Amino acid sequence: MPPRKKVQPQKKQTLKQKVATVAGEARDQAAAVAAAAVAVGKTQPQTAPVAGPVAVVAGTLFVLFTVVQKLAGDPPRDDFDQVWVSGAAVDESALPDEEPQRTVVRFAAQQTVLMDNMTALVTSLERYDGAVDAGDDDAADTQADAVQQNADAAAAAQQTLQDLAPGLNDAWRDYTTQNPPDFDSVTLDDFKQWFLDHWGDPPDNPAQSPSSSLQSLIAAVTGAADDVLSPFDVGMSHPILEADEVPGGTSSLIGDAYPAALADAATELSGLVVEEE
């Protein structure tokens, strides 16, 4: 009998604990980025071509929060006859030509790639557990292969996001030096409506379906699931649409804590699957 592949239980449990930190940081970051977008876009209408894509970064942060939060409670699935290995990628040729829009959309697109990687990872883990519960060793091996391929893709995507964050922050600081945001003028209604106008409820936004900012993101990602931008219902309040206050101002779009949490979680993705004799 050939070696059987096994998802290491302890490594999976540690991954769950670490992605819980990623979820918390992504959730907080989503609100902060949305506030930065409206603080520029509302007070200076000419900045909307940049502030709109920044709102989309906030949207991808929120969806990523729901994806990694779902990993904490992944029940076994019985559709383990199906296999999903994420093939999402950023299409550099489809990014906007202008800066800083190009840098902003690239970051949002890379987060979308990570969302697809992580959703595929969660799905393959659930299918692996289902196959194990059913005693189907062949299906369990197949799903374990998918688990490691998706884990490797997610680790690579997380590293790319960490590499992109400083450039995004530099571009944002340069831009806001010329176009200072006015956080004091942003009301809670402004905060929520700006996000709805530029993100909405993908892919079915009644106001704009989808907005031009969201269209730029969609065009820049290939190979992702059709519903990659749809958040999971994780039973927690929306950090933007259900907020009771507007986050304060910040000079950086992406703080240090979010990339650090990504880096820490990525350490558990390598070697998640082992072979047993």
Side-chain angles (χ1 to χ4, degrees):
M1 178 178 292
R4 291 294 179 187
K5 299 176 178 65
K6 178 182 179 181
V7 175
Q8 298 193 72
Q10 184 55 51
K11 207 166 182 65
K12 178 182 175 182
Q13 185 58 37
T14 304
L15 175 63
K16 287 184 176 185
Q17 294 168 355
K18 290 186 176 182
V19 297
T21 301
V22 173
E25 295 298 341
R27 189 174 189 276
D28 292 346
Q29 200 74 70
V33 170
V38 68
V40 168
K42 174 183 176 291
T43 58
Q44 302 187 59
Q46 75 277 11
T47 65
V50 173
V54 171
V56 169
V57 171
T60 57
L61 280 160
F62 169 66
V63 177
L64 181 61
F65 149 67
T66 71
V67 172
V68 294
Q69 187 70 33
K70 188 176 186 296
L71 180 58
D74 51 333
R77 294 173 60 132
D78 59 9
D79 59 346
F80 47 79
D81 58 324
Q82 302 176 44
V83 181
W84 179 15
V85 174
S86 174
V90 176
D91 181 357
E92 291 278 334
S93 68
L95 293 172
D97 294 329
E98 304 81 8
E99 288 289 1
Q101 293 95 313
R102 185 177 180 86
T103 295
V104 174
V105 174
R106 179 186 285 116
F107 190 86
Q110 187 60 45
Q111 287 204 138
T112 304
V113 168
L114 178 57
M115 285 148 45
D116 195 76
N117 297 158
M118 290 299 295
T119 306
L121 174 60
V122 172
T123 301
S124 53
L125 282 167
E126 293 173 347
R127 288 172 174 167
Y128 169 81
D129 288 341
V132 170
D133 288 351
D136 191 331
D137 291 344
D138 290 338
D141 273 2
T142 299
Q143 294 299 335
D145 282 337
V147 166
Q148 193 58 64
Q149 290 179 70
N150 289 321
D152 291 343
Q158 290 185 24
Q159 182 60 60
T160 300
L161 274 178
Q162 294 166 55
D163 294 343
L164 290 176
L168 176 65
N169 286 333
D170 288 345
W172 182 246
R173 278 191 289 267
D174 290 345
Y175 186 76
T176 52
T177 296
Q178 302 298 320
N179 303 277
D182 184 2
F183 284 90
D184 292 338
S185 73
V186 177
T187 69
L188 193 56
D189 286 344
D190 294 333
F191 175 57
K192 297 178 182 181
Q193 190 59 51
W194 183 269
F195 179 72
L196 280 174
D197 287 345
H198 293 276
W199 180 263
D201 186 15
D204 228 3
N205 180 351
Q208 296 171 294
S209 186
S211 69
S212 59
S213 301
L214 195 53
Q215 287 178 32
S216 294
L217 168 63
I218 293 169
V221 180
T222 63
D226 291 341
D227 60 351
V228 66
L229 297 178
S230 299
F232 289 100
D233 181 2
V234 292
M236 300 176 72
S237 63
H238 196 294
I240 301 168
L241 299 182
E242 297 178 59
D244 54 13
E245 64 179 356
V246 180
T250 177
S251 61
S252 297
L253 273 183
I254 304 298
D256 294 338
Y258 172 56
L262 287 174
D264 190 37
T267 62
E268 304 306 321
L269 295 171
S270 177
L272 188 57
V273 175
V274 294
E275 290 190 347
E276 293 188 325
E277 296 290 348

